[in-house]
Amino acid sequence: MEILNDKNIEFKTIEYLKSGLTVNQLKSIAKKLDLPPQDIMRQKDKLYKELQIEKITDDDKLFELLSKNIKLLERPIIIKDNKAVIGRPPEKINELLF
């Protein structure tokens, strides 16, 4: 957010930890990121290991699991039009916007 504010770029924040995201929304985000569902999850999170997500190979099951455990979604995710990046490291945001 600091990068966007510093460059006077208007943006909308979606508080998905509160509101959640549907499976279709997650699929759309993954498509814009051009990443499979495993790569948009916080793989070092304790819950990721507890749920043994690394053993799941079905993308639909992964998206469903992610929708039910939204805190596993990598963040921040910045979306512009039909493209997106995970904002870590922060320089990735520049690749998308400039």
Side-chain angles (χ1 to χ4, degrees):
M1 289 175 51
E2 185 178 329
I3 291 172
L4 299 175
N5 284 327
D6 287 348
K7 304 221 187 243
N8 294 319
I9 297 173
E10 289 186 36
F11 60 93
K12 176 182 174 185
T13 301
I14 299 172
E15 295 187 25
Y16 60 85
L17 290 174
K18 293 180 183 177
S19 62
L21 292 171
T22 67
V23 169
N24 285 338
Q25 288 172 315
L26 290 167
K27 285 180 178 182
S28 175
I29 291 168
K31 183 176 180 179
K32 289 174 184 179
L33 288 165
D34 194 26
L35 293 172
Q38 297 91 334
D39 290 350
I40 66 171
M41 292 185 189
R42 299 173 144 239
Q43 296 178 11
K44 293 180 182 176
D45 192 285
K46 180 181 173 185
L47 184 59
Y48 185 93
K49 294 179 186 344
E50 287 175 5
L51 296 173
Q52 298 181 340
I53 292 173
E54 68 279 354
K55 295 181 180 181
I56 302 171
T57 57
D58 182 271
D59 284 356
D60 287 332
K61 285 184 181 181
L62 287 167
F63 282 119
E64 187 176 319
L65 189 65
L66 182 55
S67 180
K68 292 178 181 172
N69 299 279
I70 200 64
K71 76 175 199 164
L72 287 174
L73 183 62
E74 279 286 357
R75 51 194 180 270
I77 295 175
I78 296 81
I79 300 171
K80 181 180 180 189
D81 302 323
N82 288 323
K83 299 220 182 247
V85 294
I86 296 172
R88 277 192 259 138
E91 294 77 24
K92 292 193 136 242
I93 298 169
N94 292 329
E95 295 172 17
L96 177 68
L97 300 177
F98 309 106

